[in-house]
Amino acid sequence: MNKSILKKRKKSSPQGIIVKGVDNILVRFAKCCNPIPGDEIIGYITKGRGVAVHRKDCPNSNLDNDYFKNRLVEVSWENSNNAKFEAEIQIQAEDRRGIINDITHIVAIEKVSLNGINARKGKLNIVSVNLLVEVDSIETLTLLMKKVRAIPGVEDIYRVIN
């Protein structure tokens, strides 16, 4: 008998997540924190919707609640080079002519897909810009955030957790 047939093949997850001890299970990313490769993650078994994956620092990953503790499963990132993940960032910047153009120019230069943008003027001549970007890893997002932070007038930039 052919030994290669008997070897257990590791199944690749289309989402880039490995659930320890379970094959062929539905995995979904929590929209509240949008985890991306490189983030520390946790997984919960949901009722009828497979495993929900959250960032470990997400306020919705209530580790003190016994109900959720009983549903925890070990999850990890699979080495996947072609998967893309959405992340939301918020930028606080001085409200000046061209600030949105400067921000979107950096996004274009870094070859990051921009899936959504929302800008609104706040108090004290500050504008808040939310970007929904598509990245392959935390490193790509961190580099983008570093370059946006260097734009004159940008005061703060951080990932959004809803």
Side-chain angles (χ1 to χ4, degrees):
M1 190 173 245
N2 189 345
K3 288 185 180 184
S4 64
I5 294 173
L6 296 176
K7 286 184 181 177
K8 185 175 180 180
R9 292 189 340 218
K10 181 180 176 195
K11 292 184 180 178
S12 177
S13 166
Q15 298 93 351
I17 294 289
I18 298 169
V19 180
K20 186 176 181 181
V22 182
D23 284 336
N24 201 17
I25 189 167
L26 178 66
V27 174
R28 66 179 186 84
F29 295 103
K31 294 292 181 195
C32 50
C33 56
N34 291 324
I36 58 177
D39 286 335
E40 289 187 45
I41 54 174
I42 59 171
Y44 293 110
I45 297 175
T46 63
K47 291 183 179 180
R49 295 187 332 203
V51 174
V53 178
H54 288 264
R55 284 178 24 198
K56 203 168 195 172
D57 64 349
C58 177
N60 294 329
S61 61
N62 192 349
L63 296 174
D64 296 330
N65 186 323
D66 287 337
Y67 176 78
F68 288 109
K69 280 184 184 176
N70 295 332
R71 294 174 171 267
L72 281 176
V73 291
E74 190 175 323
V75 291
S76 60
W77 291 107
E78 181 178 46
N79 292 335
S80 177
N81 295 335
N82 57 357
K84 298 286 184 181
F85 300 86
E86 280 191 341
E88 186 174 0
I89 56 176
Q90 185 170 89
I91 303 149
Q92 303 290 320
E94 172 188 322
D95 185 19
R96 64 167 172 81
R97 186 180 311 268
I99 189 71
I100 303 296
N101 184 51
D102 292 347
I103 292 168
T104 56
H105 183 70
I106 295 294
V107 172
I109 287 173
E110 292 302 308
K111 297 182 176 136
V112 171
S113 293
L114 181 58
N115 293 353
I117 185 169
N118 183 7
R120 61 201 166 278
K121 185 175 180 173
K123 297 177 182 175
L124 303 173
N125 203 33
I126 298 294
V127 65
S128 293
V129 182
N130 283 51
L131 300 180
L132 189 60
V133 294
E134 196 172 80
V135 295
D136 57 1
S137 69
I138 190 74
E139 291 81 16
T140 302
L141 183 63
T142 302
L143 179 62
L144 174 68
M145 290 172 67
K146 180 180 177 183
K147 291 191 175 186
V148 169
R149 184 175 278 118
I151 295 171
V154 170
E155 295 180 5
D156 197 11
I157 183 171
Y158 53 88
R159 283 180 72 185
V160 174
I161 297 180
N162 295 322

